[in-house]
């Protein structure tokens, strides 16, 4: 078995509030048309061991879209957009497991929409960057104002991105990987 | 509380797990991004499988993640995991993840990701 036949998968999570541009961000850099996978709400999968019980639980599904970026013959990056609504946070545990980190997208017109994602990543100890999606290139707030408004600690990057453009998306991912590397070097600082 | 339309509800809920013989858990730990590849034995086993298993074996001639398999076959993630767990145990497919799928990638791997991204 050679390395090329067995590439290593890595994963980055793209989080943020409803309609902030997560799917657009993933699609801008993905090699494939983004795909959607559906999962059944946990209760049915985690607490049930036999068919009898499964029939008595509600089955709600959550859809996640994701893209794939070949980084080399040996490395494949998957980008997963988080389902926007709070009731799907159970899925986030699965998404951040083993991930390099997360990009939390922010629309400066609705700053508060990213609070749950920022809180979640902080508490879960997931390396993350805050990326302001400058809709139509219009930056309504300076990144440092956004940092202050969201109370983002100084060591966490706050950057400007454009979810529609591959180069901007790539630069944002580069920023996240660099940040994850500095976290890996000094794990005590979260 | 009575549930209206109980019969059709039950059918809906049970159906995904018919494919798995009613099981709702996989025996193998399969992260979303774990790559699955068809083995020689998998290639040789054509004709022995159900439709979904056969689709997986064909699809994974080129390595595909668990998430991609679920998406392409239009089956729930949990169902895909159970089918894949069986195929792994039977040796028809093999999976590939990072050494420690539950931990963050180490510096060396991050360095390679960085190089890859910068070359895009
Ligand atoms: N003009 C402009 N439109 C954008 C930009 N980013 C996203 N959009 C549009 O905003 C809408 C929402 O974008 P999506 O990428 O679907 O957002 P999302 O975060 O995936 O949304 P949900 O999954 O529903 O939470 C779409 O109509 C996009 O085309 C941008 O930078 N500029
Ligand atoms: Mg979306």
């Amino acid at each position: 078995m050679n390395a090329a036949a067995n590439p290593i998968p890595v994963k980055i999570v793209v989080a943020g509030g409803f309609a902030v541009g997560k799917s657009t961000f993933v699609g801008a850099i993905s090699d494939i048309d983004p795909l959607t996978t559906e999962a059944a709400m946990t209760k049915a999968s985690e607490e049930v061991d036999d068919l009898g019980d499964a029939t008595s639980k509600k089955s709600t599904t959550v859809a996640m879209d994701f893209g794939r970026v070949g980084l080399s013959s040996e490395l494949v990056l998957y980008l997963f957009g988080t389902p926007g609504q709070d009731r799907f946070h159970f899925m986030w545990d699965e998404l951040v497991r083993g991930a390099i980190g997360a990009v939390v997208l922010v629309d400066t017109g609705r700053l508060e929409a990213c609070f749950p994602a920022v809180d979640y990543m902080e508490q879960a100890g997931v390396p993350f960057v805050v990326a302001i999606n400058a809709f139509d290139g219009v930056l309504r707030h300076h990144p440092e104002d956004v940092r202050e408004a969201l109370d983002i600690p100084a060591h966490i990057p706050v950057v400007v991105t454009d979810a529609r453009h591959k180069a901007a998306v790539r630069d944002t991912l580069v920023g996240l990987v660099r940040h994850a590397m500095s976290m890996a070097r000094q794990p005590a600082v979260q | 509380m009575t549930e209206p339309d109980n019969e059709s509800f039950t059918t809906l809920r049970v159906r995904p797990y018919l494919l798995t013989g009613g099981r709702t858990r996989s025996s193998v730990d399969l992260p979303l991004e774990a790559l699955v590849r068809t083995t020689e034995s998998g290639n040789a086993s054509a004709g022995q499988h159900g439709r979904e298993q056969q689709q997986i074996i064909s699809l994974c001639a080129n390595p595909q993640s668990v998430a991609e398999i679920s998406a392409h076959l239009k089956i729930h993630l949990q169902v895909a995991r159970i089918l894949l767990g069986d195929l792994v145990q039977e040796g028809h497919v093999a999976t590939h993840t990072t050494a420690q799928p539950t931990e963050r990638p180490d510096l060396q791997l991050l360095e390679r990701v960085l190089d890859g991204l910068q070359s895009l």
Side-chain angles (χ1 to χ4, degrees):
Chain A
M1 287 193 285
N2 59 33
N6 276 326
I8 297 173
V10 291
K11 170 173 71 174
I12 287 174
V13 175
V14 182
F18 177 70
V20 74
K22 301 178 294 290
S23 299
T24 306
F25 186 94
V26 170
I29 199 163
S30 178
D31 295 337
I32 57 170
D33 282 338
L35 294 167
T36 302
T37 178
E38 292 201 338
M41 201 81 152
T42 42
K43 296 294 181 245
S45 64
E46 304 243 309
E47 291 175 5
V48 177
D49 282 318
D50 63 47
L51 191 60
D53 264 345
T55 61
S56 64
K57 306 269 172 160
K58 264 231 166 76
S59 125
T60 308
T61 59
V62 50
M64 286 172 296
D65 52 0
F66 64 98
R68 168 180 178 146
V69 187
L71 295 180
S72 72
S73 59
E74 298 165 13
L75 212 50
V76 186
L77 170 65
Y78 286 97
L79 289 174
F80 283 92
T82 56
Q85 297 163 22
D86 288 1
R87 70 195 174 99
F88 296 137
H89 276 196
F90 76 90
M91 213 44 226
W92 292 23
D93 295 340
E94 153 115 43
L95 287 169
V96 302
R97 183 174 160 234
I100 290 172
V103 172
V104 176
L105 281 178
V106 176
D107 172 356
T108 56
R110 294 176 298 129
L111 274 187
E112 69 290 343
C114 74
F115 280 141
V118 169
D119 280 350
Y120 180 93
M121 299 305 162
E122 271 184 337
Q123 274 167 30
V126 178
F128 71 99
V129 299
V130 173
I132 303 166
N133 187 19
F135 272 74
D136 300 318
V138 180
L139 195 59
R140 292 187 194 81
H141 299 272
H142 190 274
E144 287 312 307
D145 297 339
V146 171
R147 177 191 296 285
E148 198 173 319
L150 293 175
D151 199 17
I152 306 291
H155 70 280
I156 293 175
V158 178
V159 301
V160 176
T161 193
D162 185 332
R164 294 165 304 168
H165 291 112
K166 182 177 177 179
V169 168
R170 180 201 57 214
D171 291 348
T172 304
L173 297 177
V174 163
L176 171 65
V177 174
R178 286 190 193 284
H179 176 59
M181 289 172 79
S182 71
M183 294 281 90
R185 285 196 196 95
Q186 33 178 300
V189 189
Q190 272 304 341
Chain B
M1 223 169 47
T2 54
E3 283 192 55
D5 214 358
N6 203 16
E7 209 169 314
S8 61
F9 238 32
T10 304
T11 312
L12 260 178
R13 289 173 188 164
V14 175
R15 243 196 101 248
Y17 293 102
L18 280 180
L19 285 173
T20 68
R23 289 164 303 150
T24 56
R25 271 172 193 272
S26 166
S27 43
V28 181
D29 184 28
L30 292 164
L32 278 170
E33 69 280 12
L35 286 170
V36 178
R37 187 180 45 82
T38 302
T39 60
E40 304 263 329
S41 136
N43 283 325
S45 71
Q48 296 172 19
H49 302 285
R51 190 170 67 108
E52 282 75 15
Q53 287 86 345
Q54 192 55 54
Q55 286 176 323
I56 292 171
I57 284 172
S58 307
L59 187 64
C60 297
N62 294 314
Q64 304 283 322
S65 63
V66 172
E68 281 169 299
I69 294 163
S70 152
H72 285 302
L73 269 64
K74 298 188 168 56
I75 53 180
H76 278 182
L77 193 58
Q78 291 95 332
V79 174
R81 282 188 165 132
I82 293 165
L83 300 182
L84 285 166
D86 291 346
L87 289 169
V88 167
Q89 290 194 321
E90 292 158 10
H92 296 320
V93 301
T95 63
H96 201 74
T97 53
T98 46
Q100 298 286 339
T102 56
E103 289 176 13
R104 308 257 162 252
D106 62 19
L107 268 176
Q108 204 195 345
L109 182 54
L110 291 173
E111 192 81 59
R112 289 168 63 191
V113 173
L114 188 63
D115 287 347
L117 281 171
Q118 285 174 329
S119 71
L120 287 181

